[in-house]
């Protein structure tokens, strides 16, 4: 172990943290149970199954082809693959930190691994362990891998092996089946083509291959009848008021559903990011320091407010969702203040990132791209049901920003403040472990 680089020791620690939970969890309920029997309903006819799902439900063809097999094979297959995807996600984040933010310190790798252990992994079981991870964790891990390979070839001008190109193409075949990831990949591929054209460079083959596959998936998604039929049934199940909502109302639902996740229950990763933002302004005038303190202060204030609601019996102790059409003035005031808080949070975060020199545009792009899935799901009637698992995109962006702000500055942070941040991360790891254990005990 001592001979291994810190990067790989941190990875081993990350896998050792998640391994015991994977041993004990049981992916046999909710959507996992449904997909385990779904092929039998079609007499094991994959073609008929795929055509019907395309017509009435979803365009996620490659994901939906994998699910019936993963749910019927021995659970150890999915568990092994899922741990491999967690490892890939870590490697994806580390690659971004190394090559886009130029961070290669030992603490960079340790911070990334610990923050991944503090990420609330139980949201990856919201519809069942297998169904949720294959649609979100796997899609994100493979999507980031594709993005990293394209950036390596296009911007860094490094040669890719045939194996890397093949793996990138196979990854696109899986992750571009998911609507939000297909859109993100297309934006990055288009940006790389424009970048190569402006710099009069030949665009690498891997970019054209991935772009071609992504365009095919986008056309498949846009022409899918199931994507037009499903919102009607989803609205009946989740949000009968959906068709009364205007476009601004849908945006409001997406923003509030995301922000309330971070503050209605304590979110260590969100709190750590806010605390790091505040301290990154040390040495500045008092007025700027006060503005930089707003994210952490409002985070604590809103979490306290929801806790008071729980104690007084006004709300249940669970993840809170906004009312689609608030009618009572307390709901309207609360939602208005939450929207104002979210706007202030984004303003302070962007203001902080723009102080980071050459990495500022990369950091801003990371945050904006992570918001796209939240906006997309906010426009659908499943926002109340689906926003929780979609938060993985924003969580990964926050992890990158925390590491960048903690390790990317020239200033030396005092030991006391670093210890406080490490303590918060430790609390996050313990809270994550408790949440996963609770989910396993209640559901499997």
């Amino acid at each position: 172990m001592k001979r291994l680089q810190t990067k790989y020791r941190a990875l081993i620690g990350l896998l050792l943290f998640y391994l015991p939970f994977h041993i004990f969890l049981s992916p046999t309920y909710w959507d996992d149970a449904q997909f385990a029997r779904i092929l039998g309903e079609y007499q094991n006819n994959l073609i008929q199954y795929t055509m019907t799902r395309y017509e009435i439900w979803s365009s996620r063809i490659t994901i939906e082809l994998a699910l019936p097999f993963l749910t019927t094979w021995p659970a150890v297959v999915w568990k092994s693959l899922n741990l491999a995807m967690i490892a890939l996600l870590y490697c994806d984040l580390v690659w971004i930190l190394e090559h886009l933010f130029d961070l290669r310190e030992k603490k960079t790798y340790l911070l990334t691994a610990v923050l991944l252990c503090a990420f609330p992994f139980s949201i990856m079981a919201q519809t069942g362990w297998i169904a949720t991870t294959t649609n979100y964790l796997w899609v994100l891990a493979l999507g980031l891998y594709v993005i990293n390979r394209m950036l390596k070839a296009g911007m860094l001008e490094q040669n890719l092996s045939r194996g890397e190109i093949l793996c990138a193409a196979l990854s696109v075949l899986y992750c571009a089946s998911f609507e939000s990831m297909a859109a993100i990949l297309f934006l990055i591929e288009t940006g790389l083509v424009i970048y190569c054209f402006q710099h009069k460079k030949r665009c690498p083959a891997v970019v054209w291959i991935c772009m071609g596959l992504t365009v095919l998936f986008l056309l498949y998604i846009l022409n899918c009848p199931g994507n037009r039929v499903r919102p009607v049934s989803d609205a009946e199940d989740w949000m009968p008021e959906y068709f009364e909502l205007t476009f601004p109302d849908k945006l409001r639902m997406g923003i509030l559903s995301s922000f309330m996740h971070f503050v209605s229950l304590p979110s260590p990763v969100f709190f750590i990011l806010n605390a790091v933002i505040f301290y990154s302004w040390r040495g500045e005038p008092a007025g700027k320091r006060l503005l930089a303190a707003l994210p952490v202060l409002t985070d604590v204030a809103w979490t306290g407010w929801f806790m008071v609601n729980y104690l007084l019996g006004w709300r249940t102790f669970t993840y809170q969702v906004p009312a689609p059409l608030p009618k009572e003035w307390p709901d309207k005031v609360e939602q208005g203040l939450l929207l104002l808080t979210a706007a202030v949070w984004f303003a302070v975060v962007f203001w902080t990132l723009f102080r980071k020199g050459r990495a500022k545009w990369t950091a801003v792009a990371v945050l904006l791209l992570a918001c796209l899935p939240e906006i997309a799901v906010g426009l659908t009637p499943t926002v109340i049901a689906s926003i929780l698992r979609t938060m993985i995109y924003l969580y990964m962006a926050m992890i990158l920003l925390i590491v960048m702000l903690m390790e990317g500055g020239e200033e030396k942070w005092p030991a006391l403040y670093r210890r406080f941040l490490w303590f918060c991360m430790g609390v996050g790891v313990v809270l994550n472990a408790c949440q996963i254990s609770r989910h396993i005990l209640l559901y499997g």
Side-chain angles (χ1 to χ4, degrees), residues 248-379:
D249 285 331
K250 295 173 184 178
L251 282 179
R252 170 179 56 82
M253 286 296 294
I255 295 169
L256 288 180
S257 298
S258 301
F259 193 75
M260 287 175 74
H261 164 74
F262 292 119
V263 297
S264 63
L265 289 174
S267 175
V269 174
F270 185 66
F271 176 81
I272 292 166
L273 174 60
N274 293 333
V276 170
I277 286 172
F278 167 66
Y279 198 77
S280 67
W281 284 85
R282 73 186 186 94
E284 297 290 341
K288 290 184 177 181
R289 291 273 288 168
L290 181 60
L291 288 174
L294 287 177
V296 71
L297 292 176
T298 52
D299 180 13
V300 173
W302 277 115
T303 303
W305 165 249
F306 283 108
M307 186 60 69
V308 169
N309 277 254
Y310 303 145
L311 296 175
L312 294 178
W314 298 343
R315 296 175 190 264
T316 56
F317 191 75
T318 183
Y319 165 60
Q320 300 296 318
V321 294
L325 292 170
K327 296 177 181 179
E328 302 295 331
W329 71 264
D331 284 338
K332 294 180 179 180
V333 171
E334 183 182 78
Q335 290 196 16
L337 290 175
L338 280 165
L339 284 172
L340 177 62
T341 305
V344 170
W345 185 85
F346 273 103
V348 174
V349 171
F350 286 132
W351 182 38
T352 303
L353 296 179
F354 275 114
R355 301 172 65 242
K356 300 307 294 182
R358 66 183 183 86
K360 62 186 178 184
W361 290 111
T362 304
V364 169
V366 164
L367 183 56
L368 289 178
L369 287 173
C371 289
L372 288 181
E374 319 299 327
I375 295 172
V377 78
L379 299 178

Side-chain angles (χ1 to χ4, degrees), residues 62-78:
T62 47
I63 301 172
E64 297 231 330
L65 278 173
L67 276 167
F69 296 101
L70 289 171
T71 51
T72 51
W73 288 346
V76 68
V77 176
W78 167 79

Side-chain angles (χ1 to χ4, degrees), residues 213-235:
L213 292 172
T214 303
V215 170
L216 289 176
F217 271 106
L218 284 173
L219 293 174
Y220 185 82
I221 290 166
L222 292 172
N223 287 284
C224 175
N227 287 343
R228 294 187 290 274
V229 173
R230 185 178 176 183
V232 178
S233 60
D234 281 343

Side-chain angles (χ1 to χ4, degrees), residues 170-243:
L170 292 174
S171 297
V172 172
L173 286 175
Y174 185 88
C175 67
S177 180
F178 196 94
E179 306 85 13
S180 298
M181 183 54 72
I184 291 172
L185 287 174
F186 182 72
L187 287 174
I188 292 175
E189 289 155 355
T190 304
L192 280 171
V193 170
I194 295 172
Y195 173 85
C196 292
F197 177 78
Q198 288 180 337
H199 290 78
K200 298 180 180 179
K201 297 190 299 185
R202 185 173 64 88
C203 192
V206 67
V207 177
W208 291 116
I209 293 171
C210 293
M211 191 173 193
L213 292 172
T214 303
V215 170
L216 289 176
F217 271 106
L218 284 173
L219 293 174
Y220 185 82
I221 290 166
L222 292 172
N223 287 284
C224 175
N227 287 343
R228 294 187 290 274
V229 173
R230 185 178 176 183
V232 178
S233 60
D234 281 343
E236 294 174 356
D237 293 335
W238 298 107
M239 195 191 299
E241 310 93 336
Y242 176 73
F243 296 107

